[in-house]
mmCIF file of all heavy atoms in Angstrom:
data_model
loop_
_atom_site.group_PDB
_atom_site.id
_atom_site.type_symbol
_atom_site.label_atom_id
_atom_site.label_comp_id
_atom_site.label_asym_id
_atom_site.label_seq_id
_atom_site.Cartn_x
_atom_site.Cartn_y
_atom_site.Cartn_z
ATOM 1 N N MET A 20 4.092 -3.132 8.365
ATOM 2 C CA MET A 20 4.551 -2.311 9.478
ATOM 3 C C MET A 20 6.033 -1.928 9.299
ATOM 4 O O MET A 20 6.435 -0.805 9.688
ATOM 5 C CB MET A 20 4.357 -3.065 10.787
ATOM 6 C CG MET A 20 2.893 -3.295 11.173
ATOM 7 S SD MET A 20 2.665 -4.490 12.498
ATOM 8 C CE MET A 20 3.524 -3.668 13.823
ATOM 9 N N TYR A 21 6.834 -2.809 8.735
ATOM 10 C CA TYR A 21 8.254 -2.518 8.536
ATOM 11 C C TYR A 21 8.463 -1.627 7.339
ATOM 12 O O TYR A 21 9.182 -0.624 7.417
ATOM 13 C CB TYR A 21 9.031 -3.823 8.387
ATOM 14 C CG TYR A 21 10.463 -3.617 7.990
ATOM 15 C CD1 TYR A 21 11.410 -3.215 8.942
ATOM 16 C CD2 TYR A 21 10.873 -3.808 6.670
ATOM 17 C CE1 TYR A 21 12.737 -3.009 8.570
ATOM 18 C CE2 TYR A 21 12.191 -3.605 6.290
ATOM 19 C CZ TYR A 21 13.127 -3.200 7.248
ATOM 20 O OH TYR A 21 14.415 -3.002 6.881
ATOM 21 N N ARG A 22 7.843 -1.956 6.211
ATOM 22 C CA ARG A 22 8.091 -1.237 4.982
ATOM 23 C C ARG A 22 7.478 0.127 4.949
ATOM 24 O O ARG A 22 8.069 1.082 4.388
ATOM 25 C CB ARG A 22 7.555 -2.071 3.798
ATOM 26 C CG ARG A 22 7.616 -1.395 2.424
ATOM 27 C CD ARG A 22 9.056 -1.138 2.007
ATOM 28 N NE ARG A 22 9.120 -0.476 0.723
ATOM 29 C CZ ARG A 22 8.936 0.828 0.512
ATOM 30 N NH1 ARG A 22 8.680 1.635 1.547
ATOM 31 N NH2 ARG A 22 9.009 1.340 -0.685
ATOM 32 N N TYR A 23 6.305 0.271 5.572
ATOM 33 C CA TYR A 23 5.593 1.519 5.450
ATOM 34 C C TYR A 23 5.521 2.313 6.767
ATOM 35 O O TYR A 23 4.655 3.157 6.948
ATOM 36 C CB TYR A 23 4.169 1.271 4.929
ATOM 37 C CG TYR A 23 4.177 0.709 3.542
ATOM 38 C CD1 TYR A 23 3.895 -0.648 3.329
ATOM 39 C CD2 TYR A 23 4.488 1.492 2.424
ATOM 40 C CE1 TYR A 23 3.923 -1.193 2.056
ATOM 41 C CE2 TYR A 23 4.530 0.951 1.145
ATOM 42 C CZ TYR A 23 4.236 -0.390 0.968
ATOM 43 O OH TYR A 23 4.270 -0.912 -0.295
ATOM 44 N N ARG A 24 6.453 2.038 7.653
ATOM 45 C CA ARG A 24 6.519 2.842 8.874
ATOM 46 C C ARG A 24 6.983 4.256 8.516
ATOM 47 O O ARG A 24 7.599 4.486 7.460
ATOM 48 C CB ARG A 24 7.409 2.192 9.898
ATOM 49 C CG ARG A 24 8.892 2.197 9.567
ATOM 50 C CD ARG A 24 9.640 1.351 10.593
ATOM 51 N NE ARG A 24 11.079 1.503 10.498
ATOM 52 C CZ ARG A 24 11.858 0.861 9.637
ATOM 53 N NH1 ARG A 24 11.303 0.003 8.785
ATOM 54 N NH2 ARG A 24 13.172 1.069 9.608
ATOM 55 N N GLU A 25 6.741 5.162 9.418
ATOM 56 C CA GLU A 25 6.988 6.585 9.109
ATOM 57 C C GLU A 25 8.460 6.828 8.817
ATOM 58 O O GLU A 25 8.796 7.661 7.927
ATOM 59 C CB GLU A 25 6.535 7.438 10.287
ATOM 60 C CG GLU A 25 6.656 8.931 10.022
ATOM 61 C CD GLU A 25 6.179 9.767 11.182
ATOM 62 O OE1 GLU A 25 5.854 9.182 12.227
ATOM 63 O OE2 GLU A 25 6.093 10.999 11.047
ATOM 64 N N ALA A 26 9.359 6.142 9.481
ATOM 65 C CA ALA A 26 10.794 6.407 9.258
ATOM 66 C C ALA A 26 11.231 6.046 7.836
ATOM 67 O O ALA A 26 12.094 6.707 7.274
ATOM 68 C CB ALA A 26 11.619 5.591 10.286
ATOM 69 N N ARG A 27 10.663 5.010 7.267
ATOM 70 C CA ARG A 27 11.061 4.597 5.908
ATOM 71 C C ARG A 27 10.156 5.166 4.825
ATOM 72 O O ARG A 27 10.496 5.192 3.657
ATOM 73 C CB ARG A 27 11.020 3.060 5.787
ATOM 74 C CG ARG A 27 12.156 2.373 6.538
ATOM 75 C CD ARG A 27 12.057 0.877 6.333
ATOM 76 N NE ARG A 27 12.055 0.484 4.926
ATOM 77 C CZ ARG A 27 13.150 0.232 4.179
ATOM 78 N NH1 ARG A 27 14.363 0.332 4.764
ATOM 79 N NH2 ARG A 27 13.073 -0.094 2.937
ATOM 80 N N ASN A 28 8.973 5.613 5.234
ATOM 81 C CA ASN A 28 8.010 6.089 4.222
ATOM 82 C C ASN A 28 7.342 7.368 4.738
ATOM 83 O O ASN A 28 6.153 7.388 5.062
ATOM 84 C CB ASN A 28 6.963 4.987 3.982
ATOM 85 C CG ASN A 28 6.145 5.234 2.746
ATOM 86 O OD1 ASN A 28 6.658 5.499 1.668
ATOM 87 N ND2 ASN A 28 4.818 5.191 2.896
ATOM 88 N N PRO A 29 8.096 8.441 4.822
ATOM 89 C CA PRO A 29 7.552 9.680 5.393
ATOM 90 C C PRO A 29 6.420 10.264 4.554
ATOM 91 O O PRO A 29 5.559 10.945 5.091
ATOM 92 C CB PRO A 29 8.761 10.617 5.437
ATOM 93 C CG PRO A 29 9.696 10.047 4.418
ATOM 94 C CD PRO A 29 9.502 8.593 4.408
ATOM 95 N N THR A 30 6.419 10.001 3.242
ATOM 96 C CA THR A 30 5.363 10.516 2.376
ATOM 97 C C THR A 30 4.497 9.354 1.911
ATOM 98 O O THR A 30 4.864 8.591 1.009
ATOM 99 C CB THR A 30 5.943 11.222 1.155
ATOM 100 O OG1 THR A 30 6.863 12.245 1.576
ATOM 101 C CG2 THR A 30 4.826 11.830 0.314
ATOM 102 N N PRO A 31 3.336 9.150 2.560
ATOM 103 C CA PRO A 31 2.510 7.983 2.225
ATOM 104 C C PRO A 31 1.895 8.117 0.842
ATOM 105 O O PRO A 31 1.659 9.219 0.335
ATOM 106 C CB PRO A 31 1.433 7.994 3.303
ATOM 107 C CG PRO A 31 1.346 9.399 3.736
ATOM 108 C CD PRO A 31 2.725 9.964 3.633
ATOM 109 N N SER A 32 1.650 6.952 0.236
ATOM 110 C CA SER A 32 1.016 6.914 -1.086
ATOM 111 C C SER A 32 -0.438 7.297 -0.972
ATOM 112 O O SER A 32 -1.114 7.025 0.027
ATOM 113 C CB SER A 32 1.149 5.501 -1.688
ATOM 114 O OG SER A 32 0.370 5.400 -2.861
ATOM 115 N N ARG A 33 -0.946 7.949 -2.024
ATOM 116 C CA ARG A 33 -2.355 8.336 -2.071
ATOM 117 C C ARG A 33 -3.148 7.391 -2.968
ATOM 118 O O ARG A 33 -4.278 7.706 -3.339
ATOM 119 C CB ARG A 33 -2.481 9.771 -2.565
ATOM 120 C CG ARG A 33 -1.852 10.782 -1.611
ATOM 121 C CD ARG A 33 -2.042 12.214 -2.104
ATOM 122 N NE ARG A 33 -1.498 13.171 -1.157
ATOM 123 C CZ ARG A 33 -2.158 13.675 -0.128
ATOM 124 N NH1 ARG A 33 -3.410 13.282 0.083
ATOM 125 N NH2 ARG A 33 -1.594 14.539 0.667
ATOM 126 N N THR A 34 -2.604 6.214 -3.266
ATOM 127 C CA THR A 34 -3.307 5.268 -4.129
ATOM 128 C C THR A 34 -4.539 4.736 -3.396
ATOM 129 O O THR A 34 -4.451 4.289 -2.244
ATOM 130 C CB THR A 34 -2.388 4.088 -4.484
ATOM 131 O OG1 THR A 34 -1.210 4.593 -5.140
ATOM 132 C CG2 THR A 34 -3.110 3.091 -5.401
ATOM 133 N N SER A 35 -5.693 4.810 -4.027
ATOM 134 C CA SER A 35 -6.946 4.366 -3.404
ATOM 135 C C SER A 35 -7.504 3.109 -4.068
ATOM 136 O O SER A 35 -8.370 2.469 -3.468
ATOM 137 C CB SER A 35 -7.986 5.487 -3.458
ATOM 138 O OG SER A 35 -8.237 5.860 -4.803
ATOM 139 N N HIS A 36 -7.086 2.788 -5.244
ATOM 140 C CA HIS A 36 -7.578 1.601 -5.945
ATOM 141 C C HIS A 36 -6.426 0.902 -6.648
ATOM 142 O O HIS A 36 -5.489 1.530 -7.140
ATOM 143 C CB HIS A 36 -8.658 1.977 -6.987
ATOM 144 C CG HIS A 36 -9.878 2.580 -6.380
ATOM 145 N ND1 HIS A 36 -10.871 1.851 -5.767
ATOM 146 C CD2 HIS A 36 -10.288 3.879 -6.331
ATOM 147 C CE1 HIS A 36 -11.814 2.651 -5.344
ATOM 148 N NE2 HIS A 36 -11.487 3.907 -5.664
ATOM 149 N N HIS A 37 -6.499 -0.441 -6.644
ATOM 150 C CA HIS A 37 -5.523 -1.247 -7.376
ATOM 151 C C HIS A 37 -6.307 -2.445 -7.958
ATOM 152 O O HIS A 37 -6.695 -3.356 -7.202
ATOM 153 C CB HIS A 37 -4.403 -1.685 -6.471
ATOM 154 C CG HIS A 37 -3.228 -2.265 -7.207
ATOM 155 N ND1 HIS A 37 -3.265 -3.473 -7.864
ATOM 156 C CD2 HIS A 37 -1.984 -1.744 -7.448
ATOM 157 C CE1 HIS A 37 -2.098 -3.724 -8.433
ATOM 158 N NE2 HIS A 37 -1.299 -2.661 -8.196
ATOM 159 N N THR A 38 -6.522 -2.443 -9.241
ATOM 160 C CA THR A 38 -7.389 -3.443 -9.870
ATOM 161 C C THR A 38 -6.951 -4.870 -9.574
ATOM 162 O O THR A 38 -7.758 -5.733 -9.227
ATOM 163 C CB THR A 38 -7.430 -3.186 -11.389
ATOM 164 O OG1 THR A 38 -7.888 -1.827 -11.633
ATOM 165 C CG2 THR A 38 -8.400 -4.174 -12.037
ATOM 166 N N VAL A 39 -5.657 -5.147 -9.730
ATOM 167 C CA VAL A 39 -5.183 -6.501 -9.553
ATOM 168 C C VAL A 39 -5.419 -6.954 -8.099
ATOM 169 O O VAL A 39 -5.886 -8.089 -7.860
ATOM 170 C CB VAL A 39 -3.691 -6.606 -9.891
ATOM 171 C CG1 VAL A 39 -3.145 -7.987 -9.572
ATOM 172 C CG2 VAL A 39 -3.465 -6.271 -11.363
ATOM 173 N N LEU A 40 -5.096 -6.098 -7.123
ATOM 174 C CA LEU A 40 -5.286 -6.475 -5.725
ATOM 175 C C LEU A 40 -6.780 -6.688 -5.405
ATOM 176 O O LEU A 40 -7.148 -7.635 -4.699
ATOM 177 C CB LEU A 40 -4.721 -5.405 -4.809
ATOM 178 C CG LEU A 40 -3.204 -5.368 -4.668
ATOM 179 C CD1 LEU A 40 -2.769 -4.234 -3.755
ATOM 180 C CD2 LEU A 40 -2.684 -6.679 -4.124
ATOM 181 N N GLU A 41 -7.632 -5.797 -5.920
ATOM 182 C CA GLU A 41 -9.043 -5.937 -5.615
ATOM 183 C C GLU A 41 -9.628 -7.205 -6.217
ATOM 184 O O GLU A 41 -10.466 -7.885 -5.573
ATOM 185 C CB GLU A 41 -9.799 -4.706 -6.144
ATOM 186 C CG GLU A 41 -9.460 -3.444 -5.356
ATOM 187 C CD GLU A 41 -10.233 -2.248 -5.861
ATOM 188 O OE1 GLU A 41 -11.020 -2.416 -6.833
ATOM 189 O OE2 GLU A 41 -10.101 -1.152 -5.288
ATOM 190 N N VAL A 42 -9.195 -7.597 -7.408
ATOM 191 C CA VAL A 42 -9.647 -8.846 -8.015
ATOM 192 C C VAL A 42 -9.089 -10.026 -7.209
ATOM 193 O O VAL A 42 -9.803 -11.006 -6.947
ATOM 194 C CB VAL A 42 -9.224 -8.941 -9.481
ATOM 195 C CG1 VAL A 42 -9.500 -10.345 -10.034
ATOM 196 C CG2 VAL A 42 -9.944 -7.892 -10.320
ATOM 197 N N ALA A 43 -7.827 -9.928 -6.784
ATOM 198 C CA ALA A 43 -7.187 -11.027 -6.064
ATOM 199 C C ALA A 43 -7.873 -11.283 -4.725
ATOM 200 O O ALA A 43 -8.180 -12.454 -4.383
ATOM 201 C CB ALA A 43 -5.700 -10.721 -5.862
ATOM 202 N N TRP A 44 -8.129 -10.220 -3.955
ATOM 203 C CA TRP A 44 -8.733 -10.461 -2.636
ATOM 204 C C TRP A 44 -10.226 -10.749 -2.705
ATOM 205 O O TRP A 44 -10.877 -10.971 -1.675
ATOM 206 C CB TRP A 44 -8.400 -9.360 -1.648
ATOM 207 C CG TRP A 44 -8.990 -7.991 -1.877
ATOM 208 C CD1 TRP A 44 -10.266 -7.665 -2.140
ATOM 209 C CD2 TRP A 44 -8.270 -6.751 -1.781
ATOM 210 N NE1 TRP A 44 -10.430 -6.315 -2.241
ATOM 211 C CE2 TRP A 44 -9.223 -5.722 -2.023
ATOM 212 C CE3 TRP A 44 -6.963 -6.432 -1.503
ATOM 213 C CZ2 TRP A 44 -8.857 -4.377 -2.004
ATOM 214 C CZ3 TRP A 44 -6.611 -5.067 -1.503
ATOM 215 C CH2 TRP A 44 -7.555 -4.066 -1.763
ATOM 216 N N THR A 45 -10.775 -10.720 -3.898
ATOM 217 C CA THR A 45 -12.154 -11.202 -4.098
ATOM 218 C C THR A 45 -12.157 -12.656 -4.563
ATOM 219 O O THR A 45 -12.949 -13.473 -4.076
ATOM 220 C CB THR A 45 -12.906 -10.322 -5.104
ATOM 221 O OG1 THR A 45 -12.928 -8.971 -4.629
ATOM 222 C CG2 THR A 45 -14.325 -10.815 -5.297
ATOM 223 N N VAL A 46 -11.294 -12.976 -5.513
ATOM 224 C CA VAL A 46 -11.267 -14.303 -6.101
ATOM 225 C C VAL A 46 -10.691 -15.329 -5.139
ATOM 226 O O VAL A 46 -11.216 -16.431 -5.001
ATOM 227 C CB VAL A 46 -10.506 -14.305 -7.427
ATOM 228 C CG1 VAL A 46 -10.337 -15.720 -7.975
ATOM 229 C CG2 VAL A 46 -11.222 -13.436 -8.471
#
């Protein structure tokens, strides 16, 4: 909420997949 609020991140990332994160939140 702090790092990616509109004031600090006006242009949001379009990343839809992250292999490391997806493996981590499964394992």
Side-chain angles (χ1 to χ4, degrees):
M20 292 167 62
Y21 172 77
R22 174 64 181 80
Y23 296 105
R24 70 188 191 277
E25 185 179 6
R27 287 182 56 89
N28 194 50
T30 306
S32 171
R33 295 182 178 273
T34 302
S35 59
H36 296 283
H37 192 289
T38 303
V39 175
L40 284 179
E41 291 182 358
V42 171
W44 68 48
T45 301
V46 173

